[in-house]
Amino acid sequence: MPAERERTLRRELAAALRLAARAGWTEAVANHFSVAVAPGSPRFLVNPRQVHFANVTASSLICVDSEDAGTMDRPDAPDPTAWALHGALHRKVPHARCVIHTHAKHATVLACLADSRMPAIDQNTAAFHDRVLIDTEYGGLAFAEEGARIAAMFTDPRKRVMVMGNHGVLVLGETVAEAFDRHYYFERAAETLITAYMTGRPLRVLSDAVAERTAAQNDAYPQQAERHFAEMMTILDREEPDYRD
């Protein structure tokens, strides 16, 4: 049932936002998560304008249509950068079912380096081997032109993470669970890499063959994202059940 599916998506997206707040991935009342209400649908849910992640509930999420040019005239219009960036992704990128954008600390540090590549130095970094886009053309806040430019870069369905140079990180997923899990592991991988750089000692980098094998194994690992997210939701159910309201 479409109505029941949307209720489920609302609870999942609200949970992802609450969990992001707990993880310290927030940037005041900025940054946005979104999810299409159905595969191929132009309609998507997104967090309301200038509400802290920790205060979002399932009912406070707004539903907008990526094809509706009058969206920003609504009384409950989303943040203009959320509309420009997430609207462009849901409109132009078929595999952008769920979109997470943050300025998480270590991913953003990586985005600030002249070389923002992620060498495979452990299992988590290897999971992203040849699966990350690096944007080096930051042009300011993600209004219409910047949102369209970023969306146009997602041409390879294997690459569902973007290191947004001088900005932050953007993660795509087929489900809320997949996008959340992917963001979680990318931030962990970035933390390991940045910490390794801080030692000033040479990195022990895996071969491309081993890194690709590890990434492929990770891609095929059964139910990892779903179980991770489900377990995190049980914690919220116990400690912050109002996210479901």
Side-chain angles (χ1 to χ4, degrees), residues 8 12 47 49 53-54 65 68 72 83 88-89 100 113 118 121 130 142 161 170 190 205 217 220 235 242 245:
T8 298
E12 290 178 348
N47 45 307
R49 184 174 185 169
F53 286 8
D65 188 327
D68 181 4
M72 292 308 295
W83 169 243
L89 287 161
I100 288 179
L113 302 181
M118 180 174 280
I121 60 171
D130 199 27
V161 176
L170 188 64
V205 181
Q217 291 169 335
I235 296 172
D242 66 306
D245 294 348

Coordinates of all heavy atoms in Angstrom, one line a residue, residues 8 12 47 49 53-54 65 68 72 83 88-89 100 113 118 121 130 142 161 170 190 205 217 220 235 242 245:
T8 N 6.3 4.1 6.5 CA 7.6 3.4 6.8 C 8.8 4.3 6.4 O 9.7 4.4 7.2 CB 7.6 2.1 6.1 OG1 6.5 1.3 6.5 CG2 8.9 1.4 6.3
E12 N 11.8 5.7 8.8 CA 13.2 5.4 8.5 C 14.0 6.7 8.3 O 15.2 6.8 8.8 CB 13.3 4.5 7.2 CG 12.8 3.1 7.4 CD 12.8 2.3 6.2 OE1 13.1 2.8 5.1 OE2 12.6 1.1 6.3
N47 N 14.0 16.5 5.1 CA 13.8 17.2 6.4 C 13.4 18.7 6.2 O 13.8 19.3 5.3 CB 15.1 17.1 7.2 CG 16.4 17.3 6.5 OD1 16.7 16.8 5.5 ND2 17.2 18.2 7.1
R49 N 12.9 22.7 6.7 CA 13.9 23.8 6.7 C 14.3 24.2 8.1 O 13.4 24.5 8.9 CB 13.2 25.0 5.9 CG 14.2 26.2 5.8 CD 13.5 27.2 4.9 NE 14.3 28.3 4.6 CZ 14.1 29.3 3.7 NH1 12.9 29.2 3.0 NH2 14.9 30.3 3.4
F53 N 18.5 18.1 13.2 CA 18.3 16.7 13.0 C 17.7 16.0 14.2 O 16.8 15.1 14.1 CB 19.6 16.0 12.7 CG 20.1 16.2 11.3 CD1 19.6 17.1 10.4 CD2 21.3 15.5 10.9 CE1 20.1 17.3 9.1 CE2 21.8 15.7 9.6 CZ 21.2 16.6 8.7
A54 N 18.1 16.4 15.4 CA 17.6 15.8 16.6 C 16.2 16.1 17.0 O 15.6 15.4 17.8 CB 18.5 16.2 17.8
D65 N 7.8 17.4 -4.9 CA 7.9 16.8 -6.2 C 9.0 17.4 -7.0 O 9.0 18.7 -7.2 CB 6.5 17.0 -7.0 CG 6.5 16.2 -8.3 OD1 7.5 16.1 -8.9 OD2 5.3 15.8 -8.7
D68 N 8.1 19.8 -9.8 CA 7.2 20.9 -9.5 C 8.0 22.2 -9.4 O 8.7 22.4 -8.4 CB 6.4 20.6 -8.2 CG 5.4 21.7 -7.9 OD1 5.3 22.7 -8.7 OD2 4.8 21.7 -6.8
M72 N 9.2 26.0 -4.3 CA 9.7 27.1 -3.4 C 8.7 28.1 -3.0 O 8.9 29.0 -2.2 CB 11.0 27.7 -3.9 CG 12.1 26.7 -4.0 SD 12.5 25.9 -2.4 CE 12.9 27.3 -1.3
W83 N 16.4 21.9 -1.9 CA 15.6 21.8 -3.1 C 16.5 21.7 -4.4 O 16.3 20.8 -5.2 CB 14.6 22.9 -3.3 CG 13.9 23.0 -4.6 CD1 14.1 24.0 -5.5 CD2 13.1 22.1 -5.2 NE1 13.3 23.8 -6.6 CE2 12.7 22.5 -6.4 CE3 12.6 20.8 -4.7 CZ2 11.8 21.9 -7.3 CZ3 11.7 20.1 -5.6 CH2 11.3 20.6 -6.8
A88 N 17.5 18.1 -7.9 CA 18.3 17.7 -9.1 C 18.7 16.3 -9.1 O 18.6 15.6 -10.1 CB 19.5 18.6 -9.2
L89 N 19.1 15.7 -8.0 CA 19.5 14.3 -7.9 C 18.3 13.4 -8.1 O 18.4 12.4 -8.9 CB 20.1 14.0 -6.5 CG 21.6 14.6 -6.4 CD1 22.0 14.7 -4.9 CD2 22.6 13.8 -7.2
I100 N 21.9 11.3 1.1 CA 22.4 11.9 2.4 C 23.5 12.8 2.1 O 24.5 12.5 1.5 CB 22.9 10.7 3.3 CG1 21.7 9.9 3.9 CG2 23.7 11.3 4.5 CD1 22.1 8.8 4.8
L113 N 41.6 18.3 1.4 CA 42.9 18.0 1.0 C 43.1 18.2 -0.5 O 42.1 17.9 -1.3 CB 43.3 16.6 1.4 CG 43.2 16.2 2.8 CD1 43.6 14.8 3.1 CD2 44.0 17.2 3.7
M118 N 41.0 8.2 -1.6 CA 41.0 7.3 -0.4 C 41.8 6.0 -0.7 O 41.2 5.1 -1.2 CB 39.6 7.0 0.1 CG 39.6 6.1 1.3 SD 37.9 5.8 1.9 CE 37.6 7.4 2.8
I121 N 43.8 1.3 2.8 CA 44.8 1.0 3.8 C 44.2 0.0 4.9 O 45.0 -0.4 5.7 CB 45.4 2.2 4.5 CG1 44.3 3.1 5.2 CG2 46.2 3.1 3.5 CD1 44.8 4.2 6.0
D130 N 37.6 2.5 -6.0 CA 37.0 2.9 -7.3 C 35.5 3.0 -7.3 O 34.8 2.8 -8.2 CB 37.4 1.8 -8.3 CG 37.2 2.2 -9.8 OD1 37.3 3.4 -10.0 OD2 36.9 1.4 -10.7
A142 N 25.0 25.2 -2.7 CA 24.3 24.3 -3.7 C 23.0 24.9 -4.1 O 21.9 24.2 -3.9 CB 24.2 22.9 -3.1
V161 N 29.2 7.5 -3.7 CA 29.7 8.5 -2.8 C 30.5 9.6 -3.5 O 31.2 9.3 -4.4 CB 30.7 7.8 -1.8 CG1 31.3 8.9 -0.8 CG2 30.0 6.7 -1.0
L170 N 28.5 13.4 -0.1 CA 27.2 13.1 -0.6 C 27.1 11.6 -0.8 O 28.0 11.1 -1.5 CB 27.0 13.9 -1.9 CG 25.6 13.9 -2.5 CD1 24.6 14.6 -1.6 CD2 25.6 14.6 -3.9
A190 N 37.3 7.5 6.4 CA 37.9 8.8 6.4 C 38.7 9.0 7.7 O 39.8 9.6 7.7 CB 36.9 9.9 6.1
V205 N 49.6 0.5 1.8 CA 48.5 0.5 0.9 C 48.3 -0.9 0.2 O 49.2 -1.5 -0.3 CB 48.7 1.6 -0.2 CG1 47.5 1.6 -1.2 CG2 48.9 2.9 0.4
Q217 N 33.4 -7.9 -2.3 CA 32.9 -8.8 -1.3 C 32.0 -8.0 -0.3 O 31.0 -8.4 0.1 CB 34.1 -9.4 -0.4 CG 34.9 -10.4 -1.2 CD 36.1 -10.8 -0.5 OE1 36.7 -10.0 0.3 NE2 36.7 -12.0 -0.8
A220 N 28.6 -7.4 -1.9 CA 27.7 -8.6 -1.9 C 27.4 -9.1 -0.5 O 26.7 -10.1 -0.4 CB 28.4 -9.7 -2.7
I235 N 17.4 1.0 19.1 CA 18.0 1.8 20.1 C 17.1 3.1 20.2 O 16.7 3.6 21.3 CB 19.4 2.2 19.9 CG1 20.3 0.9 19.9 CG2 19.9 3.2 20.9 CD1 21.7 1.1 19.5
D242 N 9.9 9.2 20.2 CA 9.1 10.3 19.5 C 9.5 10.5 18.1 O 8.8 11.2 17.4 CB 9.2 11.6 20.4 CG 10.6 12.1 20.4 OD1 11.6 11.4 20.7 OD2 10.8 13.3 20.0
D245 N 6.7 9.9 15.7 CA 5.5 10.7 15.7 C 5.2 11.4 14.4 O 6.2 11.8 13.8 CB 5.5 11.7 16.9 CG 5.6 11.1 18.2 OD1 5.3 9.9 18.3 OD2 5.9 11.8 19.2

